[in-house]
Amino acid sequence: MDRKNLIAIACVLGVMGMTGASFAAVPLYRMFCQVTGFDGTVRKADTAPDTVLDESVLIRFDTNVRGLPMTFRAEQVSQRVRIGETGMAFFDVTNTSDQPIHATASYNVVPERAGPYFQKLQCFCFEGQTIQPGETMKFPVQYFVAPEMATDRESRGVREITLSYTFYPTKGADLAANAAPATGAAG
């Protein structure tokens, strides 16, 4: 092989590698944020902590919809929980259109420095949801604020955390739902 062919092959491989990296960037970034709590992303926990502190924090709930004919609201505006205590919040989503909607919710917390300590045990986020015309669905979120937040110099003074969810359309799912044969069963 001559030098020109090697350069051409290296360029093609470089472009292919960059294209693959660009497709992998979003899921890898999401996974990184969920594991580390970076950028206010809530972490997933398997169990609640054994320690509950006397300190409490006010959790506010914010709901948003991006480009969908639906209503989305928290059943409660806020909850006061003790640090380390498990909290449970419920959210209602109603499809206000005459077509099925396929959507996914993402979330974050503010202030960002509380992200590593606000952890969820159960959540509807990052799971595609199909909501039928006129249907209202109720989604639970079970969470806690890790006791380590009280001793972290950066987050020690946090007394209020806002958990914000945004529902957005999931691309391609509506086409798949419309192409699926009707079964006659109500969802």
Side-chain angles (χ1 to χ4, degrees), residues 13-165:
L13 290 175
V15 168
M16 289 173 48
M18 286 185 234
T19 302
S22 69
F23 281 103
V26 171
L28 290 174
Y29 180 74
R30 181 184 303 153
M31 185 172 55
F32 169 77
C33 291
Q34 288 176 331
V35 169
T36 64
F38 180 75
D39 200 25
T41 301
V42 179
R43 295 172 72 179
K44 174 95 170 86
D46 294 323
T47 60
D50 295 328
T51 305
V52 176
L53 305 179
D54 287 333
E55 290 181 60
S56 66
V57 63
L58 182 67
I59 309 298
R60 295 191 183 278
F61 303 102
D62 175 54
T63 57
N64 304 282
V65 175
R66 187 179 306 151
L68 292 167
M70 63 192 307
T71 59
F72 178 36
R73 69 174 192 84
E75 289 186 358
Q76 57 289 309
V77 174
S78 63
Q79 293 177 343
R80 183 162 296 281
V81 295
R82 292 180 9 203
I83 295 176
E85 175 183 33
T86 300
M88 178 76 83
F90 292 92
F91 296 82
D92 297 326
V93 177
T94 301
N95 179 347
T96 58
S97 76
D98 60 356
Q99 299 291 316
I101 294 174
H102 192 79
T104 302
S106 62
Y107 59 86
N108 70 334
V109 297
V110 175
E112 290 179 12
R113 65 183 187 259
Y117 303 106
F118 192 97
Q119 299 184 20
K120 59 186 174 59
L121 295 164
Q122 176 185 0
C123 183
F124 57 91
C125 41
F126 299 120
E127 296 176 7
Q129 308 292 338
T130 300
I131 306 154
Q132 297 303 320
E135 180 181 23
T136 297
M137 297 178 78
K138 183 182 298 231
F139 296 108
V141 174
Q142 188 176 26
Y143 66 92
F144 64 88
V145 178
E148 294 81 11
M149 186 175 90
T151 58
D152 181 347
R153 196 178 84 179
E154 293 293 318
S155 61
R156 184 170 40 218
V158 173
R159 296 288 173 250
E160 189 173 299
I161 298 172
T162 300
L163 175 62
S164 182
Y165 281 98

Side-chain angles (χ1 to χ4, degrees), residues 99-101 172-182:
Q99 299 291 316
I101 294 174
D174 289 331
L175 297 174
N178 291 336

